[in-house]
Amino acid sequence: MDPQEALRTLEEELERALGLIAQVRTLDELESVQVSVLGKKSRYTQVQRSLGQLSEQARKDVGRRANEIRSRLDAAFEERRSGLVKEAERALIAADRVDVTLPGRRGRAGSLHPLTIVEYEIVDAFIAMGYRVVEGPEIETDWYNFTALNIPPDHPARTMKDSLYVDIPGMLLRTETSAVQIHAMESQQPPVYVVAPGRVFRRETPDATHSPVFHQIEGLAVDEGITFSDLKGTLEAFARGMFGEEQRVRLVPSYFPFVEPGAEIDVSCFRCGGSGCGLCGNGWIEILGAGMVHPAVLENVGYDAERYTGFAFGLGIERVAMLRYDIPDIRLFYEGEVRFLSQFGRAT
Ligand code: PHE
């Protein structure tokens, strides 16, 4: 190769390379351009190899130009490479971009069961009055469910509620949360102020107002000097808090073996305000059973019945929820139908 041809080749290659570099779109393409312009088989390398055959002066001239061109090309390749890397990064970021201002897709949130809402409200009302929450077992012995509650084996009250027995002799599904009274008193000395929410079981054929499984809240207060007016005041305060300040409350004599005297507490009907309607009949709705704890019950747990007195009450959660939300059929509570359940507010 003569010097003229060598110089021409170098200029051509520079021109060609700059054109190609400007066109490449990817790092891979740039790589192959680099190989074709500067690789072992490139015309640039051929020129360099031929330098040895040139005269000294020509070698200097061509060599210098070859070096200049090499630096320009190196710079051009490098510039394009970093440009492509930046572009690739930008593309990646753009592809990964998340618009944090877009409204999120919300999963369907559950809500509290209406029985749970009512239970929490009732329990909260008593916690505010200084009561503590306790729980008892759903399978009970005869002692806790009956005998300790002043219902001995031959007592006629045993047939008042049809019990569900289990395969273990002497044990049954508790028929009322009153059984928890006994556990609570056994585990501590007075003063006792407890509420006990829970499930109870009775042999009932399900219909609009009966279910073999339902829920009660038991209340128990035992202390020195507790009187019937404490019971009345407490339940009136509760009923007004729960159903509204305007509520009238009345106590009607009633019978439960574990209280004496016993009473049923009625609130004035919130549908008709007390004048009488299809819901209440005579203007009153019974919401709970109550009474002064029978001295025999206090003695059964080893309390001094001369020194201590107390009151107890038991309330059906379903009943309160049905009245509160105007629910016509108790079975709706247990069907797990979302269209029913979703009407009662969100979980908090
Ligand atoms: N345990 C009674 C019932 O289920 C309610 C009650 C509780 C009555 C406490 C008096 C005292 O009907």
Side-chain angles (χ1 to χ4, degrees), residues 161 175-176 178 181 202 216 218 256 258-259 289-291 312-314:
K161 287 145 199 153
T175 54
E176 49 199 345
S178 299
Q181 289 184 31
R202 290 179 195 175
Q216 291 187 324
E218 194 79 8
F256 304 94
F258 36 91
V259 289
F313 57 87

Side-chain angles (χ1 to χ4, degrees), residues 223-239:
D223 206 340
E224 282 181 57
I226 289 203
T227 68
F228 199 86
S229 14
D230 295 316
L231 167 63
K232 185 164 189 249
T234 302
L235 293 179
E236 265 177 3
F238 159 71

Side-chain angles (χ1 to χ4, degrees), residues 4 13 21 93 95 101 105 118 122 254 262 295 297 316 320-321:
Q4 298 308 318
E13 283 300 286
I21 291 170
I93 289 168
T101 66
R105 226 170 282 147
V118 169
I122 295 170
S254 186
V297 174
V320 173

Side-chain angles (χ1 to χ4, degrees), residues 98-103:
V98 172
D99 182 353
V100 293
T101 66
L102 278 177

